[in-house]
Amino acid sequence: MKKLLSVLLASLMVISLVACAQQTAPATTEAAAESVETAVESEAPAGPRTVRVGVSIYTFDDAFMTLYRNELTRYFESKNNDQVTYEVTMQDGKNDQAEQTNQIDNFIAQGYDVLILNLVQSTSAATVMDKCAAAGIPVVFINREPSESDMQSHNTGDYAGKFTYVGADARQSGRFQGELIADLENKGDLNGDGKLQYVMIEGDPENVDAQYRTEFSISQYKEKTGNEVECLDDQVGNWQRAEGQRLAANALTQYGDQIEVIFCNNDDMAMGAKVAIEAAGRKINENIYLVGVDALAEAVEAVIAGEMTGTVLNDHNGQSHAAVDCAIAAANGEALELYNWVDYVKVTPENASQYK
Ligand code: GAL
């Protein structure tokens, strides 16, 4: 409705400018231009159009999402020009869905032009879409993928093409983790019993990234090697470094030398696990292996130094740029594809220097 009004106002303005120019009936084109300029100065608001973008990140306390949101802000700034300014309001969801729902409700009440949402709980997507559809506000979901059925069921009527998910297929990152171990000369099977004894440290299990990485790292390892696997321990570290360290330390105390690999759903937890592994007197890549996901700078350095077996690039640049491009397209009234995928990349000692 607001959009319709501003379009109407803009057309009225153009009509009145033309009328103005006609009334003054200037003798030369130069004079005509001058008179239009004067009319613009006195009748139209000066300055560029402002597009208000509401962003809510599930928590500011997340290493990967911090890289992501900083790049999101920087890339929006690079898109400002004489015609348009992107006014970005970035909120911290504090890992609390009620808090984030309030932020979203406020964005809607204030008539923001477009929202970019990293949901605390991806199951809230349906309600969010219902509210945004009623207000006619486009949404770009990022990082936490809503269920396919919620995406499909809202992709009808007026709201079709008004929302999208920008992200990476977490199954791919899981498969890459499995391959990082399967491609080792000994296939990670340090004790040569034909079985991989491993520990899994999971991110927030509500998030498909955690579910898929946990599942596909192991299924891909089995498929590529034909080896059996034995899960010694599987714990939830909620993407946090301190939890990764605590859980790895516990597992090392309980299972000691039996552990051949620690799979972490992300690098921040892997960096914590690395501290625990070193404190337990074990040596990564000699008598234990460690893999993560994200390619945080520290993890890439560790891979290069031989202190981590490998990681997987979660392309925060590619994803944040795609999210901004989609938000801008939507604010311009263009229809969006339902999904916008960005690839993961396997990071090994051979190629790690490219991802520093
Ligand atoms: C994942 C990422 C994690 C964490 C999570 C948040 O894609 O690998 O480190 O940021 O998203 O949802």
Side-chain angles (χ1 to χ4, degrees):
M1 187 61 189
K2 207 178 139 237
K3 271 224 179 93
L4 191 66
L5 267 180
S6 54
V7 170
L8 273 177
L9 272 176
S11 355
L12 278 176
M13 223 135 70
V14 171
I15 293 165
S16 69
L17 278 182
V18 171
C20 226
Q22 278 168 352
Q23 269 164 20
T24 51
T28 64
T29 37
E30 215 178 282
E34 243 176 56
S35 111
V36 171
E37 254 170 39
T38 318
V40 169
E41 269 165 26
S42 56
E43 293 180 29
R49 174 172 76 99
T50 297
V51 172
R52 292 196 303 157
V53 186
V55 185
S56 180
I57 300 296
Y58 93 96
T59 175
F60 280 5
D61 183 21
D62 176 299
F64 171 74
M65 286 313 300
T66 299
L67 296 173
Y68 194 129
R69 75 186 146 91
N70 289 342
E71 184 56 23
L72 195 82
T73 307
R74 197 204 59 76
Y75 191 64
F76 258 124
E77 276 164 15
S78 79
K79 294 285 173 184
N80 288 333
N81 58 41
D82 293 348
Q83 308 300 315
V84 50
T85 300
Y86 295 98
E87 198 182 281
V88 180
T89 306
M90 178 90 66
Q91 305 265 17
D92 179 358
K94 299 188 182 147
N95 213 4
D96 176 346
Q97 189 55 61
E99 167 98 22
Q100 186 176 55
T101 300
N102 268 333
Q103 295 166 355
I104 297 171
D105 289 348
N106 285 335
F107 287 145
I108 296 173
Q110 291 168 34
Y112 271 63
D113 296 294
V114 56
L115 306 186
I116 298 182
L117 301 178
N118 172 210
L119 296 175
V120 173
Q121 282 168 3
S122 26
T123 46
S124 64
T127 321
V128 168
M129 281 190 275
D130 290 339
K131 290 178 185 172
C132 289
I137 301 175
V139 178
V140 177
F141 291 109
I142 58 167
N143 175 258
R144 293 190 156 185
E145 189 185 337
S147 76
E148 203 184 333
S149 61
D150 285 342
M151 292 291 282
Q152 297 294 356
S153 65
H154 287 80
N155 198 28
T156 55
D158 284 353
Y159 208 53
K162 291 262 174 59
F163 66 98
T164 184
Y165 174 69
V166 173
D169 179 359
R171 284 168 283 220
Q172 187 185 39
S173 55
R175 286 194 197 102
F176 283 164
Q177 285 193 298
E179 288 170 14
L180 285 167
I181 302 301
D183 290 345
L184 295 170
E185 223 174 279
N186 62 4
K187 303 182 168 86
D189 184 14
L190 285 159
N191 62 14
D193 67 350
K195 236 190 209 180
L196 189 76
Q197 279 85 14
Y198 72 93
V199 168
M200 183 68 68
I201 302 186
E202 296 192 31
D204 176 354
E206 201 261 350
N207 184 330
V208 290
D209 287 11
Q211 295 163 20
Y212 281 153
R213 288 175 194 164
T214 299
E215 178 184 344
F216 284 83
S217 53
I218 301 307
S219 60
Q220 184 77 352
Y221 174 83
K222 290 205 290 199
E223 204 178 304
K224 279 210 81 176
T225 60
N227 280 357
E228 286 177 43
V229 296
E230 183 183 352
C231 178
L232 299 171
D233 200 9
D234 185 337
Q235 301 285 340
V236 170
N238 282 319
W239 306 120
Q240 298 292 318
R241 180 177 302 216
E243 281 300 277
Q245 181 172 345
R246 188 179 68 81
L247 296 170
N250 288 347
L252 285 156
T253 305
Q254 195 170 350
Y255 300 101
D257 289 351
Q258 277 178 270
I259 305 173
E260 294 172 316
V261 182
I262 301 189
F263 288 93
C264 294
N265 281 175
N266 77 345
D267 279 349
D268 215 23
M269 296 190 297
M271 291 296 98
K274 180 172 175 287
V275 173
I277 290 170
E278 287 162 359
R282 303 282 290 275
K283 189 128 181 33
I284 296 168
N285 287 349
E286 278 186 23
N287 54 31
I288 191 164
Y289 298 103
L290 174 68
V291 290
V293 175
D294 283 341
L296 295 184
E298 274 175 84
V300 173
E301 290 298 344
V303 173
I304 293 170
E307 293 167 357
M308 184 168 174
T309 311
T311 182
V312 178
L313 172 74
N314 194 0
D315 183 3
H316 68 272
N317 287 320
Q319 290 175 57
S320 55
H321 295 187
V324 169
D325 291 340
C326 285
I328 291 177
N332 287 335
E334 291 167 33
L336 301 175
E337 297 285 336
L338 196 53
Y339 288 98
N340 286 273
W341 296 114
V342 176
D343 268 331
Y344 284 104
V345 183
K346 211 188 308 180
V347 180
T348 63
E350 288 71 45
N351 70 359
S353 56
Q354 291 173 44
Y355 300 103
K356 267 173 116 169

